Amino acid sequence: MELTPQQVLGLRMSSLLLRASRGPATGVAEVVTWLGAMQAQDLASGLWSFGARLAGHTEADVTAALERREALRTWPMRGTIHFVPSRDARWMVELMGVRVLNGAARRREQLGLAEETAVQAMEVLGAALAGGGRLTRSECLTVLADKGIDTGGQRGYHLLWYASQRGLLCIAPNIGNEQSFVLLDEWVPDPHRPERDEALGTIALRYFRGRGPATRQDFAGWTGLTAADAKRGIAVAGDALARVTVQGVETYLDAALLDTAPPPVGDDEVLVLPGFDEYLLGYKDRSLMVADEHKAAIIPGGNGIFQSTVVRAGRVVATWKRTFTKSGVRIAVQPLAPLHGSDRAEVERAFEQYARFVERTPEVRWP
């Protein structure tokens, strides 16, 4: 089967739970399990990624679900923080974090950290958090410093990352405005423990189910798996995935999605998404969603920091930034393509859901 670009965009938006035609998601656990993982190095962006898929939920609702441990934040792949299903965190870190962990020795050398120091830091943090402890990031660094471990510069961040990548720690919801850390085995005492083949098949199914149609290269890039492991995961997923061709390239998606045949994306479908949403971060090739001339505006300087986006008919047409006022949220929109009259009205309506999510009155400003 050969799909048109508009069909692909409609299918991807449905896969990513961004279209009503896919059926409403009911909660945080359902969303993160469906998608497998959601980029979350910026917490506010990660929370709105849930909100964009959970109509009627507020930021407080999502945070409460995180306190109930429906999802947690850690570094499962590519050395980047994601939300993951809590009971899947351990096997995901073990399966996909190994290549990044293997390359950590060079980073420690740059930081002047011996591996023995990293291991000692794990022992110190493990003892400090044992028995249900929960410490902010700064408190963790103080604990380490009190034991004579230098946390200056980027050393402290690396030690917390290393302990999380090794499966000792995970990130719990913020305390105030600061990250907090807990012991993974205590926060999630009953983890899933699939065999390696099952784990590969599970992450393949969740990736393509939540982002298809996508290529095997997209999948390998997102997970950080080797090409061989990516191929094996697709094979294990088996008939749950369907193969379709997009512009002559083989792609995969949830086989059940083809049966429902969602319509191609329409001009009246507008999304306002956070900067690190899986709609862009979930793919190695983003050419269907982003015009070449707009890439620099979305990723200024090519430094990996993605701006928040307005998506119309599946394509990015603007970026946006928010500023909180006393009781409102001021939203500055920067169009990348012409938006006039009714187009701007549709965008402003789309921001109403975001404003309800943060429980503030919206004020949309145009240049």
Side-chain angles (χ1 to χ4, degrees):
M1 177 185 292
E2 176 75 29
L3 299 177
T4 68
Q6 288 303 99
Q7 287 174 317
V8 172
L9 291 172
L11 286 164
R12 284 182 175 177
M13 288 169 62
S14 294
S15 296
L16 283 155
L17 303 178
L18 291 169
R19 297 181 91 186
S21 60
R22 188 57 167 163
T26 59
V28 164
E30 180 184 353
V31 170
V32 75
T33 301
W34 181 267
L35 295 178
M38 301 163 65
Q39 194 112 345
Q41 66 266 53
D42 177 73
L43 179 58
S45 293
L47 295 175
W48 174 230
S49 280
F50 281 113
R53 293 163 172 84
L54 291 169
H57 281 59
T58 65
E59 190 172 75
D61 294 331
V62 174
T63 300
L66 299 177
E67 286 286 357
R68 294 194 299 270
R69 310 181 191 188
E70 293 186 21
L72 60 79
R73 294 166 78 208
T74 191
W75 288 263
M77 60 244 190
R78 309 194 316 272
T80 303
I81 298 175
H82 288 70
F83 282 117
V84 299
S86 294
R87 295 188 64 207
D88 295 326
R90 176 163 293 285
W91 70 258
M92 292 179 74
V93 167
E94 291 174 352
L95 179 72
M96 296 179 289
V98 62
R99 296 177 74 191
V100 177
L101 190 59
N102 288 342
R106 183 175 179 183
R107 179 58 177 158
R108 282 196 298 276
E109 184 178 346
Q110 294 170 343
L111 294 172
L113 277 172
E115 184 173 5
E116 292 77 9
T117 304
V119 172
Q120 180 191 0
M122 287 181 59
E123 293 171 351
V124 170
L125 291 168
L129 290 165
R134 183 168 170 180
L135 297 174
T136 65
R137 177 173 169 172
S138 59
E139 288 170 340
C140 287
L141 298 186
T142 297
V143 166
L144 293 174
D146 287 347
K147 294 295 184 180
I149 297 173
D150 184 0
T151 62
Q154 290 293 307
R155 294 182 188 87
Y157 180 86
H158 181 85
L159 292 171
L160 291 171
W161 169 85
Y162 180 83
S164 301
Q165 200 74 76
R166 290 283 302 273
L168 177 71
L169 307 181
C170 67
I171 305 172
N174 278 16
I175 296 176
N177 292 321
E178 201 174 354
Q179 281 180 349
S180 71
F181 288 84
V182 292
L183 295 181
L184 176 58
D185 284 345
E186 290 187 352
W187 193 254
V188 189
D190 58 339
H192 289 304
R193 294 188 179 277
E195 297 295 331
R196 194 170 194 278
D197 254 17
E198 181 186 351
L200 286 170
T202 297
I203 198 62
L205 174 60
R206 290 179 181 178
Y207 173 80
F208 290 106
R209 181 183 66 186
R211 292 161 191 80
T215 66
R216 191 173 72 194
Q217 290 73 27
D218 288 328
F219 173 51
W222 183 77
T223 56
L225 292 169
T226 65
D229 277 345
K231 186 176 181 180
R232 179 60 184 162
I234 292 169
V236 173
D239 292 341
L241 299 179
R243 282 187 290 183
V244 295
T245 304
V246 177
Q247 297 177 331
V249 177
E250 183 177 84
T251 67
Y252 299 84
L253 78 164
D254 180 10
L257 191 58
L258 283 181
D259 296 334
T260 61
V265 64
D267 288 343
D268 61 342
E269 294 187 62
V270 176
L271 304 170
V272 292
L273 299 176
F276 295 95
D277 193 79
E278 291 293 318
Y279 188 66
L280 292 184
L281 272 293
Y283 306 91
K284 193 175 182 70
D285 179 0
R286 305 179 183 107
S287 58
L288 285 180
M289 295 88 80
V290 180
D292 286 344
E293 63 268 26
H294 297 158
K295 289 179 180 177
I298 297 166
I299 321 170
N303 59 4
I305 304 300
F306 283 67
Q307 300 298 305
S308 300
T309 58
V310 177
V311 175
R312 181 173 180 266
R315 303 275 288 177
V316 175
V317 295
T319 60
W320 61 280
K321 294 183 178 180
R322 64 100 192 265
T323 304
F324 286 149
T325 59
K326 186 174 181 180
S327 60
V329 57
R330 186 176 298 134
I331 298 163
V333 181
Q334 184 60 53
L336 303 176
L339 291 171
H340 305 290
S342 62
D343 293 338
R344 292 193 173 194
E346 288 174 357
V347 172
E348 291 181 12
R349 279 195 295 272
F351 275 115
E352 290 175 4
Q353 181 181 343
Y354 175 71
R356 287 192 294 271
F357 181 73
V358 295
E359 299 183 271
R360 291 171 182 261
T361 302
E363 178 188 350
V364 180
R365 295 187 172 186
W366 299 88

